[in-house]
Amino acid sequence: MAGLDHEHNLTHQSHTTVANPLLTPSHADHSTAPSVGSSLQESELEKSLNDVLAPDEKQPLTSTPDDHNHGPVVGKFELHIGLDQVDSPRSLDPKKVVRDASFVDNLGTRGDYLNPRGGNNVVIGSGDSDIIRGTGRGFNTITTGTGRDTIILGKETTNRIFDFDPASDRFALHGIHPKDIVIAQGKNPGKGGLEQPLDAVTNTLIIDKKTGHILASLAFVKSSDISEKHFVKNSAQAEASLLNHKKLGFKTQRGSGQLTGTRGRDRLIGNSGDNFLYVGDDGFKFNTARGGGGTEFPFPTDSSGTSQLTTALKNGVLRINGTYENFDGFPLFSQGETTIDPNAKILNGSNPQALVEGFLRVPKDVEGNPISGTHLHFSPAGDSRGNFADATVVRFFENTPIDAKSGTINGEFKLTPAEQAALLAGNFYVNIHTNIDGDGDGRAGFPTGENRLNLNRNVVQFA
């Protein structure tokens, strides 16, 4: 399931979105729709579970399943999809989905309880086992952190999860019957950095087949790795297990905007607006990222060059500093060039001049940093998830050559909450494109990238 970018350009690629989401036949044809009795039972279940919640967490409920609106779009994200628009859809066997009686049993000694509620939210969990509620009828971007995390899925709520780990994480179904859950692989080839469609080919989808609502989109996960063992049914007992907040050691914060956790157990509750529930700057650290030895993916090189980066994130500001040495060419554009050196290696068979013109069409990134040959991109590689690439530039770095083969790399960027979530999920990488034979040895670098440095799960470490 490797993500190959054969057209390595910097333009934001168009999204292949779903213009007219199709409902499943059972929803479009009322003659085969679920019985009114069945629908009412599920509505009553949802209401009973909601009634158990603490007063500051109760949420508005739709009166009937027919109230569901199939039109919502958040940003560029379609929240609904038809089963004919995905690969390998399959249902759960309800008999294999057990009922959970206690969420406390799944909470780490320093794990957090995070409830963003409604709105367009970002949630970044801790290094312990957390409970993350994705039932507020909003759109949530989630990085769970490490640990054995539980994400609660509810009707009409979409959760974009950047780091779901099939080896440890799971879902709890809130007011949704397991028979209505479909697991599928996306088949949309569209990319675009963090704005890639929810049904991208690299994503697994969890779909409510009654409504076509995407309940969860799991980035860089194979649908074949998800099964009944990743789901439990929520219960009133499980909800009640979290009610005695002080006894459980929770420090509660409520409000809007950014809520920042501590190193202990936190209960962070958002409001109905857009919220950012954040682990805190002391909740993680970064190991040194290293490149070299043909690490540039998807175009491995035979360069003897090496590179390394140190990374820090504080108050939403990403600072990266590093060096490169023994490179075959100068960093692309560091010599003010507008053409490719004839001695440079074009590894993907593209037209060299078209390649450089594609880069030049994006002279600045979203912060106004000027074009360079070193870029921040979205996608992991080099860890257990496999290798992926996305040519869309997130940020440009500053290159400063020391000589024809070595130099420094620097960048300071203000990241959005979603970009912070992607970084801490281990879903960013840096690559160094090169060009121009500076020392006259007949080797002029690799315009498609000489080194790649992955800020992956091996580099990002939660406390």
Side-chain angles (χ1 to χ4, degrees):
M1 236 175 75
L4 301 181
D5 282 317
H6 296 293
E7 296 300 326
H8 200 75
N9 62 69
L10 290 183
T11 58
H12 284 271
Q13 301 180 34
S14 61
H15 303 278
T16 310
T17 54
V18 180
N20 296 295
L22 300 176
L23 304 183
T24 60
S26 63
H27 191 77
D29 182 356
H30 292 286
S31 66
T32 59
S35 68
V36 173
S38 173
S39 296
L40 289 176
Q41 282 182 339
E42 291 182 23
S43 295
E44 285 300 314
L45 172 60
E46 186 183 17
K47 181 178 183 301
S48 67
L49 292 173
N50 192 56
D51 287 343
V52 183
L53 297 178
D56 58 350
E57 293 189 67
K58 294 186 186 299
Q59 59 195 31
L61 303 176
T62 53
S63 57
T64 68
D66 289 335
D67 287 342
H68 187 75
N69 178 3
H70 287 269
V73 176
V74 175
K76 296 183 178 180
F77 301 114
E78 294 277 357
L79 306 187
H80 297 83
I81 197 164
L83 299 187
D84 60 341
Q85 297 169 314
V86 296
D87 272 339
S88 306
R90 54 191 168 87
S91 300
L92 296 179
D93 180 350
K95 295 179 181 179
K96 295 181 179 180
V97 180
V98 302
R99 175 178 170 274
D100 198 356
S102 173
F103 283 136
V104 174
D105 295 340
N106 307 111
L107 191 68
T109 57
R110 292 189 297 151
D112 298 330
Y113 173 54
L114 307 171
N115 183 359
R117 303 189 75 189
N120 187 352
N121 310 297
V122 175
V123 178
I124 301 177
S126 74
D128 209 331
S129 299
D130 303 320
I131 308 293
I132 301 173
R133 181 176 295 279
T135 63
R137 287 177 164 77
F139 180 86
N140 304 313
T141 296
I142 297 172
T143 289
T144 65
T146 49
R148 300 178 64 84
D149 301 302
T150 299
I151 301 98
I152 306 174
L153 300 182
K155 293 179 179 178
E156 303 177 24
T157 308
T158 297
N159 299 280
R160 178 174 60 150
I161 305 172
F162 279 154
D163 66 340
F164 187 89
D165 187 349
S168 57
D169 298 335
R170 65 172 195 160
F171 297 109
L173 300 177
H174 179 96
I176 303 172
H177 198 285
K179 66 181 173 60
D180 295 323
I181 294 295
V182 169
I183 304 167
Q185 191 75 43
K187 62 179 184 181
N188 192 330
K191 294 190 177 180
L194 274 70
E195 294 183 344
Q196 67 174 230
L198 298 179
D199 62 328
V201 295
T202 55
N203 295 352
T204 288
L205 301 179
I206 311 298
I207 304 166
D208 182 347
K209 71 178 180 182
K210 276 190 173 182
T211 62
H213 200 108
I214 299 173
L215 302 174
S217 175
L218 317 181
F220 311 113
V221 172
K222 296 179 182 179
S223 64
S224 58
D225 290 340
I226 306 299
S227 67
E228 286 85 358
K229 71 179 182 181
H230 294 100
F231 294 84
V232 295
K233 292 181 284 188
N234 195 3
S235 69
Q237 291 93 329
E239 295 289 5
S241 70
L242 294 173
L243 287 178
N244 198 338
H245 308 130
K246 290 185 179 180
K247 184 177 179 180
L248 292 171
F250 284 125
K251 180 179 179 181
T252 296
Q253 296 182 56
R254 308 178 188 86
S256 59
Q258 180 170 331
L259 301 176
T260 301
T262 68
R263 292 295 298 274
R265 272 189 175 174
D266 293 298
R267 177 177 177 262
L268 305 183
I269 311 298
N271 65 4
S272 58
D274 298 342
N275 303 297
F276 179 26
L277 310 188
Y278 179 55
V279 62
D281 290 342
D282 60 351
F284 53 85
K285 65 178 182 178
F286 299 93
N287 297 325
T288 301
R290 303 183 189 277
T295 57
E296 172 60 25
F297 175 85
F299 312 116
T301 74
D302 62 356
S303 169
S304 58
T306 59
S307 52
Q308 63 178 25
L309 298 175
T310 59
T311 306
L313 177 66
K314 187 174 183 180
N315 296 324
V317 177
L318 171 65
R319 294 179 175 87
I320 293 182
N321 296 283
T323 59
Y324 66 91
E325 59 184 16
N326 205 28
F327 268 36
D328 284 348
F330 281 111
L332 185 63
F333 302 124
S334 66
Q335 307 305 298
E337 75 273 21
T338 59
T339 60
I340 298 297
D341 189 311
N343 289 326
K345 290 188 178 181
I346 309 297
L347 298 178
N348 65 339
S350 64
N351 179 294
Q353 191 56 37
L355 178 72
V356 73
E357 287 173 356
F359 282 120
L360 290 169
R361 281 195 292 269
V362 188
K364 296 181 179 180
D365 64 22
V366 295
E367 286 189 2
N369 299 301
I371 189 171
S372 79
T374 302
H375 313 134
L376 184 66
H377 298 281
F378 174 76
S379 282
D383 60 24
S384 61
R385 293 171 290 179
N387 296 326
F388 305 88
D390 186 332
T392 306
V393 168
V394 178
R395 294 292 193 281
F396 288 127
F397 289 81
E398 180 181 350
N399 290 120
T400 305
I402 295 174
D403 54 39
K405 289 185 175 291
S406 63
T408 61
I409 304 164
N410 299 281
E412 181 174 314
F413 315 115
K414 179 67 176 178
L415 300 185
T416 66
E419 289 171 338
Q420 294 177 58
L423 171 68
L424 295 180
N427 291 353
F428 276 158
Y429 69 94
V430 178
N431 68 347
I432 308 170
H433 303 256
T434 53
N435 187 34
I436 304 295
D437 179 7
D439 58 2
D441 65 354
R443 295 174 65 92
F446 302 82
T448 46
E450 186 158 347
N451 271 191
R452 170 167 168 160
L453 304 102
N454 296 303
L455 305 178
N456 58 20
R457 287 179 177 172
N458 301 328
V459 171
V460 182
Q461 301 288 301
F462 279 81

